[in-house]
Every structure is written in C-alpha cells, then in structure tokens.
Amino acid sequence: MAALLGSVVAVGHLWLSRSEPDVQPTTSQLRRLARAALEQQGVPVGRLRWMGEHSNHLFRCDTASGERLLLRVCLPDGRSDAELDSELAWLAALARDTDLTVPVARFSTRVATADLPAGGRCIAFTWLQGRHCEQRPSRRLVADLGRVLATLHAHARRFRPPAGFTRPTLDIHYLTWTDSWHAAQLTRRPIDPATRRLLDEVAGRVQAALAQLGTDPAVHGLVHADLHLGNVLDHHGQARPLDFDDAAWGHYALDLAIAVDSVPEPLHPVLLGGYRAVRPLPDGYQQHVAALLAGRRLFLATFLLAHGLPVVAHLDLLRAFIAS
C-alpha cells in the first residue's frame, strides 16, 4: 500500500477529464477569461494567480477589498451546465444542512473573450483555510476524514435533488473510462496482452461485486467519488473536503474505499473508526473491500497507461487481487 500512495497522490493532481481537447488554451488566455468573469461580477481584482489544472483550471483571486476566492474555469469540453448546477446545489445543501466546511459558490457565470470566443463557465468559491497534508496525515485528521465521509453519506440518504439534477454514475464504465479519450488511447498503446487480460479480469470481478451490492437507496446514492487525501485540507485536525467536481451516483462502500486507499495502511482502522462514530460501515463494504479497492486501482491504472506513465505498483496490486 505504501508504494501505491505516491502514484495515487500524483494522479490526484493530474488532468482527470474524460475527454482530451485537441488544443489547450494558454494560461494567459485563461487568466483573461477569469478576469472577465470577475469584472462582470463587480469583483475588484487585486491579484490573480494560476493554481494549476485538475479537471478544470483553477485561479486564486485576492480581491482589492481583502476577500480571497478560488475561481474554477470550466471549458466547453467538460461538465455540462446541468451537471455543474447540480454540483453547486449539493454543496449549498451540505453547507445548509450539516456542520461540514465545504466550498460554497460566491457566483457562477459564463463569459467569453476575443481569444477564447467559445468562452467558459467561471465559478468563484469561498476560500477554505487549511493546509494540504497528504504525505503525512495525522491520526486526528484521518479520523475526522472518516467522520466527514460518513456525514456526506448520511446527508445523501435524505437529500432530495431539485428538478433537473444530473450527475454521472460511478460504475464499472466510469472505473474503466469507457467511451472516453483514455479508453481510446489505451487501445493504441503498445501494452502487452497479459496486462490487457489482467485489466479485463479485474473489471469483471469489480463489476460482479458492484452488482451484488445492488442499487437500493441504503447502499447507493450521491457520493463525492474522489475524496482522497489530496482533496482534503487539514484545519487544526478538521478535515475539509475539496473538489466536488467528480460527485456522482454510486455505492457508499466504493466511496469509502476510495478514501481508505489514499491513507497509509496503519491508519485504515482510524478512518473506519471515524466513520463508525457517525454511522455503521456501508452494507457490503467489509465483504467486498478487496474488489472495491481493486476498482479504484483499476481506475488509476487505466489513466496512467493511457498517458504512458509508470504503473507497475498498481498492476502488482491488481495481480495480487486476482491471485487472492
């Protein structure tokens, strides 16, 4: 597990869109788009800094009035407006109904510029205080991450989506990047047949486990889908979840496995204990935990193989799963 962590964290900060645009806009073009959105909303910009690229492009805005915002620039090849509206609706409900500290939208608008006439959707979120600590998480933080995840799942059980609410589904097609640029790229890569057979066999076993879990509301609902330590801030031991862009309909047990897979193995019981302090472990988690963890590794391995990145640690763990 320890050997896997570096790869997991690294993937957490890479481009995870399910499509790859032919031409990426420059940082300068994106900065002008972001500034146009802020000016449209009457936000006085003091300093605008590019923070990098994940499934979208992120900017930190320090306003002239002393406010700090996180601006997400969503380009046309990404999430639909309906999907983005749904993400924001869930975040607003979490902020209203729970004690969790989550990003809340300050504004959301669509703008275009002369050099990016197709424009983009720009969403400004409140800035969350905290530090990234995925390399050396404390026991207190990991326990609180368990509490946060359980709170998310408990809220999802009673959440009533508004009309038009739509998010993807965290199923085997999602985990294998079906119908995405990555799947197409994988077919063109010089990957040995044994590795391809391994991926297929793991996918079959993971699909069988998900089918056994079923889709009853007690086990399946709205989940974060990517709550690894790279998407958590540590605020004096309080876990603050970030990046709900991958929120999906899925199994609570798989959502928990994604978080477990990102923490050092000695801390797994700590995270599960934090979860149990709020609600029992999801039905089927303990029975299918090996397959659920393999599903997460299959997702990451497919991404890495599609991009020609090192994947040995993931494949070794998938082979061990099949052997067991």
Side-chain angles (χ1 to χ4, degrees):
M1 182 67 70
L4 174 67
L5 292 177
S7 297
V8 172
V9 170
V11 170
H13 295 287
L14 291 175
W15 175 263
L16 289 179
S17 171
R18 301 187 76 80
S19 63
E20 288 284 321
D22 294 331
V23 179
Q24 282 276 50
T26 67
T27 304
S28 296
Q29 290 174 321
L30 292 164
R31 188 187 305 276
R32 285 191 286 272
L33 194 69
R35 189 174 288 274
L38 291 161
E39 291 175 353
Q40 179 200 80
Q41 296 297 310
V43 178
V45 180
R47 187 179 184 187
L48 190 62
R49 285 185 278 180
W50 188 62
M51 292 183 62
E53 176 185 355
H54 180 39
S55 50
N56 300 286
H57 301 269
L58 303 176
F59 288 86
R60 167 178 159 174
C61 175
D62 293 292
T63 72
S65 58
E67 185 181 11
R68 182 174 295 170
L69 301 171
L70 175 71
L71 191 73
R72 184 204 291 177
V73 179
C74 310
L75 297 177
D77 61 294
R79 300 282 183 205
S80 68
D81 282 329
E83 288 177 311
L84 293 172
D85 289 340
S86 300
E87 176 196 352
L88 299 184
W90 190 33
L91 284 169
L94 287 169
R96 180 188 67 237
D97 302 336
T98 73
D99 64 350
L100 300 182
T101 302
V102 298
V104 177
R106 167 84 147 67
F107 68 78
S108 177
T109 188
R110 183 168 290 280
V111 293
T113 56
D115 48 2
L116 287 178
R121 177 93 171 257
C122 295
I123 306 173
F125 292 96
T126 54
W127 186 268
L128 298 189
Q129 295 296 329
R131 61 185 183 88
H132 287 285
C133 58
E134 57 263 40
Q135 297 300 325
R136 298 184 64 182
S138 67
R139 292 178 64 88
R140 182 180 175 188
L141 176 73
V142 171
D144 199 57
L145 176 57
R147 177 193 69 86
V148 167
L149 199 57
T151 303
L152 289 174
H153 294 170
H155 182 268
R157 286 290 309 276
R158 61 181 186 272
F159 178 62
R160 297 294 177 264
F165 191 95
T166 179
R167 294 299 303 176
T169 301
L170 182 62
D171 57 10
I172 194 61
H173 301 294
Y174 188 106
L175 295 173
T176 56
W177 300 85
T178 302
D179 297 328
S180 72
W181 175 92
H182 300 79
Q185 187 71 3
L186 199 63
T187 64
R188 295 190 286 266
R189 289 280 181 187
I191 300 170
D192 68 273
T195 297
R196 293 188 186 277
R197 287 194 299 271
L198 173 66
L199 298 178
D200 288 343
E201 187 170 356
V202 171
R205 293 200 185 186
V206 172
Q207 184 175 18
L210 296 180
Q212 287 187 41
L213 287 172
T215 56
D216 185 271
V219 299
H220 190 277
L222 193 58
V223 297
H224 185 284
D226 198 30
L227 196 55
H228 57 80
L229 279 176
N231 279 334
V232 175
L233 291 178
D234 182 352
H235 184 68
H236 305 298
Q238 179 194 73
R240 294 183 165 181
L242 304 173
D243 194 8
F244 283 72
D245 181 62
D246 287 328
W249 298 106
H251 293 93
Y252 300 127
L254 178 55
D255 201 37
L256 176 57
I258 290 169
V260 168
D261 199 36
S262 75
V263 305
E265 193 164 3
L267 294 179
H268 287 185
V270 176
L271 189 147
L272 298 178
Y275 191 101
R276 286 193 184 98
V278 176
R279 67 194 302 261
L281 294 182
D283 289 346
Y285 174 80
Q286 292 174 305
Q287 178 185 356
H288 297 292
V289 61
L292 298 171
L293 291 171
R296 175 61 171 178
R297 294 159 189 163
L298 175 66
F299 174 80
L300 298 173
T302 302
F303 175 90
L304 293 168
L305 285 167
H307 286 269
L309 296 171
V311 72
V312 173
H314 294 278
L315 296 180
D316 285 346
L317 287 166
L318 292 179
R319 292 187 189 99
F321 165 67
I322 292 299
S324 66

